[in-house]
Amino acid sequence: MRETYDYVIVGAGFSGLVLAERLGATGHRCLVVEKRDHIGGNCHDRRDKNGLLYHVYGPHYFRTNAELVRTYLSRFTAWREVEYRVQAFTRGTYWSFPVNLNTYRQLTRNPHATEDEFKAYLENRKVPITEPANSKEAMLAAVGEELYELFYSGYTAKQWGRPAEALDASVCRRIPIRTGLDDRYFQETFQALPLHGYTPLFENLLTTSRATLRLSTDYREMLPHVNYRHLIYTGPIDEYFDCRHGALPYRTLRFQLEELGAEQAPGGFAQPALQINYPGAEPFTRTVEVKHVTGEVSACTNLMREFPSEYQPGKHEPYYPIPGAESQALALRYRELADREPNVTFVGRLAQYRYLNMDQVVAGALHTFETLIARSSGK
Ligand code: FAD
Ligand code: UDP
């Protein structure tokens, strides 16, 4: 006998599990199919050999301005409010980053430089580009050549495998630039981590949903064996259509976990901040020591080092859609196919091919739920 569901949901990340929870709460039977052997998608975290938390697929810093998202997720987790602090290591120095007054003081070797002096420097150095067409122009227009070369050019080329000229202005604009002393990496009003990690949050979503979960399963193996009314797809949009218009570009990463004992971590820490960015010639872009924000007390620690690399379908995980002119036209063609696909909803970072943060994905899933319910009740 074939099992019968209202919804089959492909992917157990934020998009898939928020929708499973919402649909389950309104009496719908859902099957969640996940090809990996765990839930949480790229936000998955776990404990290392010393019992310390780490983010398996790179750092996941939750932050949001959306009250709706915060209120919704707060039903499934308590929070630990944190301030995410990052430094950049280049030319043999740890720099205050994102660019702020202390960065300018380091640059000028003048610890007493004032905010007005920094503003005057920026006015003098900014390249007058009124409508920056890409990330290089955006940064030249914001900080000028010197700071662009110091912090953005090398990091961006390494991270994306293409120069900043080939990327939307929005990519480098994710990072704030401040003329005062505020050196927090983000601007959102609520910055916090799930108190016990992301995995318990996802477990709570799943339990509340009462959905059936199949791990380590590609949905294409599963579909012939189940009856369902509607498919919710959160995987890569081009893969759904067998890449019939050609493969979309993605960027992948290799993660290297370093589990460090007391002798390798004097004072319990391995580096001076939560995250160090490397805009220089090193083959990695950043190292993350999440213990700086988890509040864990231990003589041990861990570091996660990220090596960006070229993506090959079937061989790698497609971590980043690439926001740039080259991919936009192709992504649009896939979105047009998706709009015409009956009884399938495409939602999430990969299915929408957009560089979305967690809170945007949660907001998108909550919105999709409303649309699905309105449609099924004929409104
Ligand atoms: P995903 O988490 O990618 O989930 C999709 C799931 O679908 C995956 O588990 C995948 O295995 C599964 N799947 C795909 N194809 C199939 C198939 N054929 N069959 C079955 N299952 C399938 N956001 C922030 O807000 N803050 C951060 O600090 C942050 N840092 C990030 C760092 C990195 C390195 C990356 C890659 C992302 C980061 N993000 C961050 C973004 C965040 O990861 C995403 O917004 C979020 O994970 C998207 O959720 P999702 O459910 O749409 O996709
Ligand atoms: N970036 C940079 N130098 C840095 C940090 C970021 O040039 O030290 C650019 C780079 O192009 C990067 C983008 O800004 O991909 C966004 O940075 P963010 O830290 O938000 O990257 P994510 O966490 O999404 O990987």
Side-chain angles (χ1 to χ4, degrees), residues 5-247:
Y5 297 95
D6 296 310
Y7 292 90
V8 170
I9 301 176
V10 180
F14 259 124
S15 304
L17 289 188
V18 167
L19 274 156
E21 187 284 322
R22 290 289 69 215
L23 290 165
T26 43
H28 298 91
R29 267 177 64 78
C30 297
L31 169 68
V32 177
V33 187
E34 169 56 60
K35 71 177 172 134
R36 300 186 198 181
D37 63 0
H38 60 74
I39 59 173
N42 287 335
C43 310
H44 180 64
D45 57 10
R46 56 174 90 121
R47 308 232 160 235
D48 71 5
K49 69 176 186 194
N50 299 310
L52 295 171
L53 198 77
Y54 70 100
H55 293 179
V56 179
Y57 304 101
H60 276 76
Y61 305 138
F62 189 84
R63 72 270 191 184
T64 192
N65 290 323
E67 198 47 47
L68 178 74
V69 170
R70 176 183 173 175
T71 309
Y72 171 73
L73 290 180
S74 299
R75 291 169 44 202
F76 307 98
T77 187
W79 299 99
R80 174 181 174 81
E81 292 204 39
V82 291
E83 294 191 333
Y84 303 109
R85 287 218 158 68
V86 173
Q87 295 179 15
F89 183 80
T90 187
R91 299 185 190 166
T93 299
Y94 285 99
W95 297 81
S96 187
F97 192 80
V99 170
N100 69 85
L101 179 55
N102 266 333
T103 323
Y104 180 66
R105 288 176 174 167
Q106 289 181 283
L107 190 70
T108 54
R109 296 172 201 264
N110 174 7
H112 307 294
T114 65
E115 183 162 2
D116 283 344
E117 283 162 4
F118 185 28
K119 283 182 179 164
Y121 164 91
L122 288 175
E123 280 318 307
N124 190 20
R125 296 299 180 103
K126 281 180 191 175
V127 181
I129 305 170
T130 33
E131 282 186 36
N134 56 56
S135 267
K136 178 172 183 181
E137 290 187 5
M139 289 303 104
L140 290 179
V143 295
E145 185 85 27
E146 186 176 31
L147 291 173
Y148 170 72
E149 288 301 332
L150 194 55
F151 296 121
Y152 300 96
S153 174
Y155 187 103
T156 298
K158 189 160 45 170
Q159 165 70 10
W160 298 97
R162 56 218 356 106
E165 292 94 311
L167 295 160
D168 274 1
S170 59
V171 173
C172 282
R173 277 187 179 151
R174 285 167 61 87
I175 309 301
I177 291 152
R178 305 195 186 89
T179 53
L181 288 170
D182 182 359
D183 65 349
R184 290 170 308 151
Y185 204 56
F186 302 117
Q187 334 231 36
E188 284 84 351
T189 48
F190 182 63
Q191 307 188 13
L193 287 172
L195 187 59
H196 303 294
Y198 287 96
T199 297
L201 189 172
F202 285 111
E203 282 165 356
N204 288 340
L205 282 169
L206 183 66
T207 307
T208 319
S209 77
R210 300 179 181 210
T212 304
L213 173 68
R214 291 270 187 286
L215 289 176
S216 308
T217 309
D218 192 303
Y219 80 103
R220 286 167 287 207
E221 298 161 23
M222 199 70 207
L223 286 191
H225 308 292
V226 292
N227 296 319
Y228 62 97
R229 280 200 292 121
H230 194 91
L231 186 77
I232 294 173
Y233 181 79
T234 78
I237 188 167
D238 54 340
E239 271 185 27
Y240 179 89
F241 294 105
D242 296 323
C243 299
R244 71 174 75 151
H245 293 319

Side-chain angles (χ1 to χ4, degrees), residues 359-371:
D359 63 325
Q360 296 171 302
V361 160
V362 171
L366 293 174
H367 177 75
T368 300
F369 166 71
E370 299 294 340
T371 311

